[in-house]
Amino acid sequence: MPDTGYTITAVLVAAAVTWALRALPFTALTPLRESGTVQYLSTRMPAGVMVILVVYCLHDLPLTETRAMAPLAALAVTTGLHLWRRNALLSILGGTATHVILVSTVLAR
């Protein structure tokens, strides 16, 4: 069994490293908050990321097949809900529910 002093030292070192790793992002982000580039990206990135995700998810979707109806309907519902209510949670839940319902009932084989 390890010595008590060794165990206490190991716990203190682990606690110090954990604390330092949790504090590091806050100290690194402080100077970035005043950056014009970061402020510009914070307003433009969410839409850009969503466009990339949509293109990635739908890039190999065969539009001539019936199974394309569920993702396209879910995309339309998600877009419509977001434009109507501007609520990301409502949009995501509505689009997901639409997709699940269509795949589980209408398009189930």
Side-chain angles (χ1 to χ4, degrees):
M1 181 174 269
D3 182 37
T4 304
Y6 176 80
T7 305
I8 291 172
T9 303
V11 168
L12 290 175
V13 168
V17 168
T18 301
W19 184 84
L21 289 174
R22 289 179 183 238
L24 182 66
F26 295 104
T27 59
L29 287 178
T30 302
L32 292 176
R33 293 187 199 275
E34 289 88 31
S35 169
T37 303
V38 172
Q39 290 175 357
Y40 173 79
L41 289 175
S42 71
T43 60
R44 302 313 194 277
M45 285 295 290
V49 169
M50 290 307 297
V51 167
I52 290 169
L53 286 172
V54 167
V55 169
Y56 176 77
C57 290
L58 301 178
H59 80 279
D60 61 349
L61 187 67
L63 297 177
T64 58
E65 295 183 20
T66 307
R67 66 184 179 101
M69 186 176 80
L72 294 176
L75 176 63
V77 168
T78 303
T79 303
L81 282 173
H82 190 71
L83 292 174
W84 177 48
R85 302 297 294 180
R86 300 275 184 212
N87 185 332
L89 181 62
L90 176 66
S91 304
I92 292 168
L93 289 176
T96 303
T98 302
H99 186 271
V100 169
I101 290 169
L102 286 174
V103 169
S104 299
T105 57
V106 177
L107 301 175
R109 292 183 199 188

